[in-house]
Amino acid sequence: MGVKQNILVIPSVLPADFSQLGNAVVELEKAGVDRIQWDVMDGVFVPNLTFGPDTIASARKVTTLGFEAHLMIVDPDQYIEKYVAAGCELLIIHAESTRHLHRTLGRVRQAGAKVGVALNPATPICAIENVVDLLDLILIMTVNPGFGGQAYISTMESKISSAYELANSFSHEIEIEVDGGISSSTVEGAVSAGARTLVAGSSLFKHPDGLEAAVTEIRNLAGQAKRKA
Amino acid sequence: MGVKQNILVIPSVLPADFSQLGNAVVELEKAGVDRIQWDVMDGVFVPNLTFGPDTIASARKVTTLGFEAHLMIVDPDQYIEKYVAAGCELLIIHAESTRHLHRTLGRVRQAGAKVGVALNPATPICAIENVVDLLDLILIMTVNPGFGGQAYISTMESKISSAYELANSFSHEIEIEVDGGISSSTVEGAVSAGARTLVAGSSLFKHPDGLEAAVTEIRNLAGQAKRKA
Amino acid sequence: MGVKQNILVIPSVLPADFSQLGNAVVELEKAGVDRIQWDVMDGVFVPNLTFGPDTIASARKVTTLGFEAHLMIVDPDQYIEKYVAAGCELLIIHAESTRHLHRTLGRVRQAGAKVGVALNPATPICAIENVVDLLDLILIMTVNPGFGGQAYISTMESKISSAYELANSFSHEIEIEVDGGISSSTVEGAVSAGARTLVAGSSLFKHPDGLEAAVTEIRNLAGQAKRKA
Amino acid sequence: MGVKQNILVIPSVLPADFSQLGNAVVELEKAGVDRIQWDVMDGVFVPNLTFGPDTIASARKVTTLGFEAHLMIVDPDQYIEKYVAAGCELLIIHAESTRHLHRTLGRVRQAGAKVGVALNPATPICAIENVVDLLDLILIMTVNPGFGGQAYISTMESKISSAYELANSFSHEIEIEVDGGISSSTVEGAVSAGARTLVAGSSLFKHPDGLEAAVTEIRNLAGQAKRKA
Amino acid sequence: MGVKQNILVIPSVLPADFSQLGNAVVELEKAGVDRIQWDVMDGVFVPNLTFGPDTIASARKVTTLGFEAHLMIVDPDQYIEKYVAAGCELLIIHAESTRHLHRTLGRVRQAGAKVGVALNPATPICAIENVVDLLDLILIMTVNPGFGGQAYISTMESKISSAYELANSFSHEIEIEVDGGISSSTVEGAVSAGARTLVAGSSLFKHPDGLEAAVTEIRNLAGQAKRKA
Amino acid sequence: MGVKQNILVIPSVLPADFSQLGNAVVELEKAGVDRIQWDVMDGVFVPNLTFGPDTIASARKVTTLGFEAHLMIVDPDQYIEKYVAAGCELLIIHAESTRHLHRTLGRVRQAGAKVGVALNPATPICAIENVVDLLDLILIMTVNPGFGGQAYISTMESKISSAYELANSFSHEIEIEVDGGISSSTVEGAVSAGARTLVAGSSLFKHPDGLEAAVTEIRNLAGQAKRKA
């Protein structure tokens, strides 16, 4: 099957009001998003600290949407089971965060979750060439992780293309996800290069016509770009 | 002046519903607490990750209560200004988290906040004997930090007493705070030993008669213990 | 009860022939030792790597002697259960090896073993003043750990005395152990200062009259020194 | 010359009885193995601690077989000379264990040993593309290192092939070694992909017909696979 | 434009008399060098400690030559602004020194300096394939960094060629620099492979005919090699 | 003998012109200083990088003054021999920089140098209570190390007194040194508390009447304070 072809629009909760995350999640569900991404940052792997398993678990009870945890943390192995227990159906491990990436990804599967891997902007695609058989998702970061609201790095599109080709040579289904600076002006480039799962933050939460319009806009632009590609 | 003698009751937000932290803070204010403690954990200094500056900042707008950040993180220096900007009037640095404790505490003051220092259960009181002149607060941990709901370690009371004596020999006002397992059954021991600022979590949030009753109960028991002492 | 007053003679296996550890253990049992110490070194906490749980477990089946593991390793928490499962009835944690010494010692107890703590030569006795209630044994290192055959540091005797006094003020039984350079010429100083459990390596294995004579000699000299003290 | 074409069968001693390693080594020599691999683990680079230079040195005197040390340790530079002094004729350095891999490998040669490099399952082959001229051996891990008895990761065969091609473009002789899950059912895949030096553990020690039969079986199956390739 | 084609000869100051660095810099300027490289080593990233921003700043006032800082340090992000403030117009970041290379390089630009990246001998060229658009210079190390006076590693020439091709596919100007063992006997190989900016240390300072002759010699040999290529 | 009673005035070279260190050293010798302190900083133990062994060695040939190296570096053990070879007769190790302080200090002696230990402002005096027999010098930091020109922390005087008492109970000669903010206005406090060896930087180099006058002034004020004490 190779690359999963459905367009998925997934919010990052970074721009939400953290004092009312439950409300934010409910609003996102109403707006028609496909899943929710939790940007887990530890202040060590990235220069910001956001939230951990208990925050995610607290939001688990207000929605039926799937949750993915984007683990921007050092030494992720020890926390895998906690994020699955918090209600995440998909865990995304940074290739730069573990000396034994193959084992870490295997442990995610063993814990009962789907398996994703993320690459920082500078990390070459070859970092994952030996683990694709373990993957449900490849996340190509289009900003340096740590903060919302950063500008899309368009030179990542060649890496998106490489990820697409690499994933498409496998017989199981793999999502190609992008995260960072995704908005109406960048979605075409990302999708043309091969992205199908689009994480958006500021462009959703700050859209003048509201969340639902924003989600629809991203989805439509992505659909058009995919048909052209 | 030495040790500040007012009894202060301060909730840890760890047991709150993290999907509605704003509501929790409003409820705590109504219940009559004196300040709010934010348990900042990074998953490296302690084996749990909770929340960082953006979560605290989001709650800043719903209350006029003072905020203290209990920084259970490695390398705190780089984040001091962010926690002050998030609205914390007091920052608590773990003595075990920095090679240059005197400098780190000085930076907290320079950033415009009050200065606290925390000691893990095993850490001897001599770890702070050279920095007391910089302090507004000494936090004696009565559990090993990382999680709410743990049992009070009563052997810490001799350390509380030592902190009391140490602080009382200085001419500026210093709070003696305890955190961990504080409830109606442990408050007497802690206050008798010298604690005056009491952080409570589970015992407040799980009290059968509600938050306000719980706060009042802790406050009254503490007042009685102080008078006896 | 305070300090346990029985003299115990305990071999370090460092000088043994590692290709026949089973034989060495059998010989030690015949020689009348009271327990066996396993010097676990990871090459990071100390500049030498020796052996881990599987080596200890392999020797478990050839003797009924008790085993103690002296863990000279970084991040001991993650390995506690393995050393207990390997057959150690007592685990000794270095105070310098963990940020949360009180928690680590508690985990040893929880795992079903007796609890010891070790202090490097430079580490002051106050490092353990808040954890004595958790302890079955205090190990005062009389050499810098890492290698067998080093010379006894006699200035540690004042620390041995401090440990003795500290332990003796508690109502449960605590062993005072020394390790490093213990031989017929140093045992008197150590025991006079308060040591009762004596770890010996080279002086046992290289004794001209054999292991049993060596053990008896240490035991007798220690007994005399204790009676004098 | 490129890839060394002789089939070599090499035991890992992990499944041996560590209380009688000398006997195990003698048995392995009788069984006709070509060299002995020592799995050196420090509990930091991998989640297990096995043995260090003194254990290897103790076995050195009971056999004339060559020894290789597979160094699964952090900061290997400081220990290179000790493993050579312990009697290892070949040292295998993990590419993930040093920031200056080219220098570390050069130091192995300078210390008087042959030079190998190992790659964790996730590590891409390009990690060694600039150091092949320094190598006598490339070890492609077919399990995540840390424990014996794990299952062979067959997707590593494409990396074995890449290593074969890379090595074969050089004019000096280089061994292609595999380690992890090698048994009668996996040897064909590994050899077909290009492996010639086969490390086996459980499949040797637990063979129903004994060590010698097991070694012969692996050797024969490997020979057949090589001829087909 | 791709690779910048001018030959530049740049001294490393490592062999200079550090008690009279000002004089050394003046001499180098007279000798006709094109820029000065400062080998900043911290004793952690490399096994030597040399000098930091204050040393560079002290030399800034005695010459109008451009300065480049070759940062052989861990965690370079926190020091970028200091090296720019010290008067460096170009900062060279090691690809192995930061988890977020793309961000670090962006910060150099933001601080107002030109952007270089360095690769240790073992580091593959793919480590920088996603950051070339940010670069003014690629430094291929031809020794393992840490000391002057080491021998040129000629196998790096294939990496120099790869860097040349990679850089030449971009439309902005990028220098290809080499550092380590550059002398009259190695410059041809390096330039033929694609190097245009040549860092030399011992071969300049120890040249029998003096600095100026040495610079001229390197420059001429490089010019010839470039024309042949 | 206990505390060495001679007043020694020792310059820190931090304020010197690093482009002409040789001249600075010659000037300092003319000004009558008793020894020269080299502030070795690695950018990791302290937030500044200064210079290492080669800089010190380059200045060794222009003076006959004794050199002391104040090692503000992580992992000092590996560099001890280099600083001795560079011409330092005294090495000062930070108590906070090594897990095995007793061993590190012993290695300094073994390398042929005198042995000093330094304490950061927050570090309690008990950190060295078990190593005094190894010491020729105790350095009480009166600023947080990293930069010249900082203000004297007068609360360190009680630690200076404790160091004096501790040292004076030993029978060999030990210097009590202070470093940080020492000037005509602070020398009395430091000497009254027990300091005898005074490190000064800015107050020497920026004195309106020149270096020699500055040295004489410090020496005289110290002499008066000592006589009063």
Side-chain angles (χ1 to χ4, degrees):
Chain A
M1 303 202 286
V3 173
K4 180 170 179 173
Q5 291 298 336
N6 310 35
I7 295 294
L8 300 180
V9 179
I10 299 190
S12 156
V13 301
L14 283 185
D17 181 346
F18 285 7
S19 72
Q20 322 185 35
L21 272 174
N23 291 352
V25 166
V26 168
E27 292 302 313
L28 288 166
E29 184 165 20
K30 282 188 201 152
V33 303
D34 294 296
R35 206 160 58 209
I36 287 184
Q37 190 191 76
W38 296 92
D39 299 274
V40 176
M41 304 182 185
D42 68 357
V44 179
F45 185 77
V46 285
N48 194 8
L49 198 164
T50 54
F51 38 66
D54 290 345
T55 296
I56 298 173
S58 75
R60 184 62 282 175
K61 59 189 183 298
V62 304
T63 180
T64 57
L65 282 172
F67 281 0
E68 65 184 60
H70 177 197
L71 298 180
M72 291 165 274
I73 62 176
V74 294
D75 200 6
D77 285 62
Q78 60 181 317
Y79 291 115
I80 286 171
E81 294 188 10
K82 289 197 179 176
Y83 287 98
V84 176
C88 298
E89 65 183 31
L90 167 65
L91 260 56
I92 304 172
I93 302 292
H94 261 271
E96 307 85 4
S97 70
T98 163
R99 248 194 293 254
H100 301 284
L101 181 62
H102 189 281
R103 171 183 292 147
T104 306
L105 297 173
R107 282 179 178 168
V108 171
R109 178 79 66 206
Q110 249 179 323
K114 290 189 177 179
V115 181
V117 76
L119 297 178
N120 278 343
T123 306
I125 194 73
C126 65
I128 58 166
E129 71 188 20
N130 290 289
V131 297
V132 183
D133 61 298
L134 302 177
L135 299 177
D136 296 302
L137 179 149
I138 299 171
L139 167 53
I140 304 298
M141 291 302 298
T142 45
V143 298
N144 286 289
F147 304 96
Q150 299 185 80
Y152 179 77
I153 304 171
S154 63
T155 55
M156 291 303 112
E157 290 173 3
S158 65
K159 204 199 308 186
I160 298 170
S161 299
S162 302
Y164 188 95
E165 281 178 52
L166 183 61
N168 227 12
S169 68
F170 281 75
S171 60
H172 66 290
E173 199 173 55
I174 302 176
E175 293 184 41
I176 304 294
E177 187 178 53
V178 287
D179 183 4
I182 297 298
S183 69
S184 58
S185 60
T186 58
V187 67
E188 183 179 353
V191 173
S192 300
R196 295 292 178 266
T197 300
L198 306 160
V199 179
S202 313
S203 66
L204 297 189
F205 284 86
K206 299 185 177 165
H207 196 282
D209 303 331
L211 272 176
E212 188 169 352
V215 171
T216 305
E217 186 180 64
I218 298 282
R219 197 184 300 283
N220 289 345
L221 288 166
Q224 289 164 26
K226 193 180 81 169
R227 283 189 294 276
K228 275 198 233 164
Chain B
M1 302 203 286
V3 172
K4 180 171 181 174
Q5 291 297 335
N6 311 34
I7 295 293
L8 300 180
V9 179
I10 300 192
S12 155
V13 300
L14 283 185
D17 180 345
F18 285 7
S19 71
Q20 323 185 34
L21 272 173
N23 291 352
V25 166
V26 168
E27 292 301 314
L28 288 165
E29 184 165 22
K30 282 187 201 154
V33 303
D34 293 295
R35 206 160 59 209
I36 287 184
Q37 191 191 76
W38 296 91
D39 300 274
V40 176
M41 304 182 185
D42 68 357
V44 178
F45 184 78
V46 284
N48 194 8
L49 198 164
T50 55
F51 38 66
D54 290 344
T55 296
I56 297 174
S58 75
R60 184 60 284 176
K61 60 188 182 299
V62 304
T63 181
T64 57
L65 281 172
F67 280 0
E68 65 183 61
H70 177 196
L71 298 180
M72 291 165 275
I73 62 176
V74 293
D75 199 5
D77 285 63
Q78 61 180 318
Y79 291 115
I80 285 171
E81 295 188 10
K82 290 197 179 177
Y83 286 98
V84 176
C88 298
E89 65 183 31
L90 167 64
L91 258 57
I92 303 171
I93 302 292
H94 260 271
E96 307 85 4
S97 70
T98 161
R99 249 194 290 254
H100 301 284
L101 180 62
H102 190 281
R103 171 182 291 146
T104 305
L105 297 173
R107 283 180 177 166
V108 171
R109 178 80 65 206
Q110 248 179 322
K114 290 190 177 177
V115 180
V117 75
L119 296 178
N120 278 342
T123 307
I125 193 74
C126 65
I128 58 167
E129 71 188 19
N130 291 289
V131 297
V132 183
D133 60 299
L134 302 176
L135 298 177
D136 297 301
L137 179 149
I138 299 171
L139 168 52
I140 304 297
M141 292 301 299
T142 45
V143 298
N144 286 288
F147 303 97
Q150 299 185 79
Y152 179 76
I153 304 171
S154 62
T155 56
M156 291 301 112
E157 290 172 4
S158 65
K159 205 199 307 184
I160 297 170
S161 300
S162 303
Y164 188 95
E165 282 179 51
L166 184 62
N168 227 14
S169 67
F170 281 76
S171 60
H172 66 291
E173 198 173 56
I174 303 176
E175 294 184 40
I176 304 294
E177 186 178 53
V178 286
D179 183 4
I182 297 297
S183 70
S184 58
S185 59
T186 59
V187 67
E188 183 180 353
V191 173
S192 300
R196 295 293 177 264
T197 300
L198 306 160
V199 179
S202 313
S203 67
L204 299 189
F205 283 87
K206 299 185 177 166
H207 196 283
D209 302 332
L211 272 176
E212 189 170 352
V215 171
T216 305
E217 186 180 62
I218 298 282
R219 197 184 299 283
N220 290 344
L221 288 167
Q224 290 166 24
K226 195 180 77 169
R227 283 189 293 276
K228 276 196 236 166
Chain C
M1 303 202 284
V3 173
K4 181 170 180 175
Q5 292 297 336
N6 311 34
I7 295 292
L8 300 180
V9 179
I10 300 192
S12 155
V13 301
L14 283 185
D17 180 345
F18 284 7
S19 72
Q20 323 185 34
L21 272 173
N23 291 352
V25 166
V26 169
E27 293 301 314
L28 289 165
E29 184 165 21
K30 282 187 202 155
V33 303
D34 295 295
R35 205 159 60 208
I36 286 183
Q37 191 191 77
W38 296 91
D39 300 274
V40 175
M41 304 182 185
D42 68 358
V44 179
F45 184 78
V46 284
N48 194 9
L49 198 165
T50 54
F51 38 66
D54 290 345
T55 296
I56 297 174
S58 75
R60 185 60 283 174
K61 60 188 182 300
V62 305
T63 181
T64 58
L65 282 171
F67 281 0
E68 65 184 61
H70 177 197
L71 298 181
M72 291 165 273
I73 62 176
V74 294
D75 199 5
D77 285 64
Q78 61 181 316
Y79 292 115
I80 286 171
E81 295 188 9
K82 289 197 179 176
Y83 287 97
V84 176
C88 298
E89 66 183 31
L90 168 64
L91 259 57
I92 304 172
I93 302 291
H94 261 270
E96 308 84 4
S97 71
T98 162
R99 249 194 290 254
H100 301 284
L101 180 62
H102 190 281
R103 171 183 291 145
T104 306
L105 297 174
R107 283 180 177 166
V108 171
R109 179 80 64 205
Q110 249 180 323
K114 290 189 177 177
V115 181
V117 75
L119 297 178
N120 278 342
T123 306
I125 193 75
C126 65
I128 59 166
E129 70 188 20
N130 291 289
V131 298
V132 183
D133 61 298
L134 302 176
L135 298 178
D136 297 303
L137 179 149
I138 299 171
L139 167 52
I140 304 298
M141 292 301 299
T142 44
V143 298
N144 286 288
F147 303 96
Q150 299 185 80
Y152 179 76
I153 304 172
S154 63
T155 56
M156 291 302 112
E157 290 172 5
S158 65
K159 205 199 307 185
I160 297 169
S161 299
S162 302
Y164 188 94
E165 281 177 54
L166 183 61
N168 227 14
S169 68
F170 282 76
S171 60
H172 66 291
E173 198 174 58
I174 303 176
E175 295 184 39
I176 304 295
E177 186 178 53
V178 287
D179 182 5
I182 297 297
S183 70
S184 58
S185 60
T186 59
V187 67
E188 183 179 352
V191 173
S192 300
R196 295 294 177 265
T197 300
L198 306 160
V199 179
S202 312
S203 67
L204 298 190
F205 284 86
K206 298 185 177 165
H207 196 283
D209 303 331
L211 272 176
E212 189 169 352
V215 170
T216 304
E217 186 180 64
I218 297 283
R219 198 185 299 281
N220 289 345
L221 288 166
Q224 289 165 24
K226 194 179 78 168
R227 282 189 294 275
K228 277 196 236 165
Chain D
M1 303 202 285
V3 174
K4 180 169 182 175
Q5 292 298 336
N6 311 34
I7 295 293
L8 300 180
V9 179
I10 299 190
S12 155
V13 300
L14 283 186
D17 181 345
F18 285 6
S19 71
Q20 322 186 35
L21 272 173
N23 291 352
V25 166
V26 169
E27 292 303 312
L28 288 165
E29 183 164 23
K30 282 188 200 153
V33 304
D34 294 295
R35 207 159 59 209
I36 286 183
Q37 190 191 77
W38 296 91
D39 300 273
V40 175
M41 304 181 186
D42 68 358
V44 179
F45 185 77
V46 285
N48 194 10
L49 199 164
T50 54
F51 38 64
D54 290 345
T55 297
I56 298 174
S58 75
R60 184 61 283 175
K61 59 189 183 296
V62 304
T63 181
T64 58
L65 280 172
F67 280 179
E68 65 183 60
H70 176 196
L71 298 180
M72 290 165 274
I73 61 176
V74 294
D75 198 7
D77 285 63
Q78 61 180 318
Y79 291 115
I80 286 171
E81 295 188 10
K82 289 198 179 175
Y83 286 98
V84 175
C88 298
E89 65 182 31
L90 167 65
L91 259 57
I92 304 172
I93 303 291
H94 261 271
E96 307 85 4
S97 71
T98 164
R99 249 194 291 255
H100 301 283
L101 180 61
H102 190 281
R103 170 183 292 147
T104 306
L105 297 173
R107 282 179 177 168
V108 172
R109 179 78 66 205
Q110 249 179 322
K114 290 189 178 179
V115 181
V117 75
L119 297 178
N120 277 343
T123 306
I125 193 74
C126 65
I128 58 167
E129 71 188 20
N130 291 289
V131 297
V132 183
D133 61 298
L134 302 176
L135 299 176
D136 297 303
L137 178 148
I138 299 170
L139 167 54
I140 304 298
M141 291 302 298
T142 45
V143 298
N144 286 288
F147 303 97
Q150 298 184 80
Y152 179 76
I153 304 171
S154 63
T155 56
M156 292 301 112
E157 290 173 3
S158 65
K159 203 198 308 185
I160 298 170
S161 299
S162 302
Y164 188 95
E165 282 178 51
L166 184 60
N168 227 13
S169 68
F170 281 75
S171 59
H172 67 290
E173 198 173 57
I174 303 176
E175 293 185 41
I176 304 294
E177 186 178 54
V178 287
D179 182 4
I182 297 297
S183 70
S184 58
S185 60
T186 59
V187 66
E188 182 179 355
V191 173
S192 300
R196 295 294 178 264
T197 301
L198 306 160
V199 179
S202 314
S203 67
L204 298 189
F205 284 85
K206 298 185 177 167
H207 196 284
D209 303 331
L211 272 177
E212 187 169 353
V215 171
T216 305
E217 186 180 64
I218 297 282
R219 198 185 299 283
N220 289 345
L221 287 166
Q224 289 165 26
K226 193 179 81 168
R227 283 189 294 275
K228 274 198 234 165
Chain E
M1 303 201 286
V3 173
K4 180 170 182 175
Q5 292 298 336
N6 310 34
I7 294 294
L8 300 180
V9 179
I10 299 191
S12 155
V13 301
L14 283 185
D17 181 345
F18 284 7
S19 71
Q20 323 186 34
L21 271 173
N23 291 352
V25 166
V26 168
E27 292 301 313
L28 289 165
E29 184 165 21
K30 282 188 201 153
V33 303
D34 294 295
R35 207 160 59 209
I36 287 184
Q37 190 191 76
W38 295 91
D39 299 275
V40 175
M41 304 182 185
D42 68 358
V44 179
F45 185 78
V46 285
N48 194 8
L49 199 163
T50 55
F51 38 66
D54 290 344
T55 296
I56 298 174
S58 75
R60 184 61 284 175
K61 59 189 184 297
V62 304
T63 181
T64 58
L65 280 173
F67 280 0
E68 65 184 61
H70 176 198
L71 298 180
M72 290 166 274
I73 61 176
V74 293
D75 199 6
D77 284 64
Q78 61 180 317
Y79 292 115
I80 286 171
E81 294 188 10
K82 290 197 178 176
Y83 286 98
V84 176
C88 298
E89 65 183 32
L90 167 65
L91 260 57
I92 304 172
I93 303 292
H94 260 271
E96 306 85 3
S97 70
T98 163
R99 248 195 292 255
H100 301 284
L101 181 62
H102 190 281
R103 171 183 291 148
T104 305
L105 297 173
R107 283 180 177 168
V108 171
R109 178 80 64 204
Q110 249 178 322
K114 290 189 177 179
V115 181
V117 75
L119 296 178
N120 277 342
T123 307
I125 193 73
C126 65
I128 58 166
E129 71 188 20
N130 291 289
V131 297
V132 183
D133 60 298
L134 302 176
L135 298 177
D136 296 302
L137 179 148
I138 299 171
L139 167 52
I140 304 298
M141 292 302 298
T142 45
V143 298
N144 286 288
F147 304 96
Q150 298 185 80
Y152 179 76
I153 305 172
S154 62
T155 56
M156 292 301 113
E157 291 172 3
S158 65
K159 204 198 308 186
I160 298 170
S161 300
S162 302
Y164 188 95
E165 282 178 51
L166 184 61
N168 228 13
S169 68
F170 281 75
S171 59
H172 66 291
E173 199 173 56
I174 302 175
E175 294 184 41
I176 304 295
E177 186 178 53
V178 287
D179 183 4
I182 297 297
S183 70
S184 58
S185 60
T186 59
V187 66
E188 183 179 355
V191 173
S192 300
R196 296 293 177 264
T197 301
L198 306 161
V199 179
S202 313
S203 67
L204 298 190
F205 284 86
K206 299 185 177 165
H207 196 283
D209 303 330
L211 271 177
E212 188 169 354
V215 171
T216 305
E217 186 180 63
I218 297 282
R219 197 184 298 283
N220 289 345
L221 288 166
Q224 289 165 25
K226 193 180 81 168
R227 282 190 294 277
K228 274 198 233 163
Chain F
M1 303 202 287
V3 172
K4 180 171 181 174
Q5 292 298 336
N6 311 35
I7 295 293
L8 300 180
V9 180
I10 300 191
S12 156
V13 301
L14 282 185
D17 181 345
F18 285 7
S19 72
Q20 322 185 36
L21 272 173
N23 291 352
V25 166
V26 168
E27 293 301 315
L28 289 165
E29 185 166 20
K30 283 187 200 154
V33 304
D34 294 295
R35 205 160 59 209
I36 286 183
Q37 190 191 75
W38 297 91
D39 299 274
V40 176
M41 304 181 185
D42 68 358
V44 179
F45 185 77
V46 284
N48 194 10
L49 198 164
T50 54
F51 38 65
D54 290 345
T55 296
I56 298 174
S58 75
R60 186 60 283 177
K61 59 189 183 299
V62 305
T63 181
T64 58
L65 281 172
F67 281 179
E68 64 184 60
H70 177 196
L71 298 180
M72 291 165 273
I73 62 176
V74 293
D75 199 6
D77 285 63
Q78 61 180 318
Y79 292 115
I80 287 171
E81 296 189 7
K82 289 197 177 175
Y83 287 98
V84 176
C88 298
E89 65 183 30
L90 167 65
L91 260 56
I92 303 171
I93 302 293
H94 261 270
E96 308 84 4
S97 70
T98 162
R99 248 195 292 255
H100 300 284
L101 181 62
H102 190 281
R103 171 183 290 146
T104 305
L105 297 173
R107 283 179 176 168
V108 171
R109 179 80 65 205
Q110 250 181 321
K114 290 189 178 178
V115 180
V117 75
L119 296 179
N120 278 342
T123 306
I125 193 74
C126 65
I128 58 166
E129 71 188 20
N130 290 289
V131 298
V132 183
D133 60 298
L134 303 176
L135 298 177
D136 297 302
L137 179 148
I138 299 171
L139 167 52
I140 304 298
M141 291 303 298
T142 45
V143 297
N144 285 290
F147 303 97
Q150 298 186 79
Y152 179 76
I153 304 171
S154 62
T155 55
M156 292 302 112
E157 290 172 5
S158 66
K159 205 198 307 185
I160 297 171
S161 300
S162 303
Y164 188 95
E165 281 178 52
L166 184 62
N168 227 14
S169 67
F170 281 75
S171 60
H172 66 290
E173 198 174 57
I174 303 176
E175 295 184 40
I176 304 294
E177 186 178 54
V178 286
D179 183 5
I182 296 298
S183 69
S184 57
S185 60
T186 58
V187 67
E188 182 179 354
V191 173
S192 301
R196 295 294 177 265
T197 301
L198 306 160
V199 179
S202 313
S203 66
L204 298 189
F205 284 87
K206 299 184 178 167
H207 196 283
D209 303 330
L211 271 176
E212 189 169 352
V215 170
T216 305
E217 186 180 64
I218 297 282
R219 197 184 300 281
N220 289 346
L221 289 167
Q224 290 165 26
K226 194 181 78 168
R227 283 188 294 276
K228 276 195 236 167

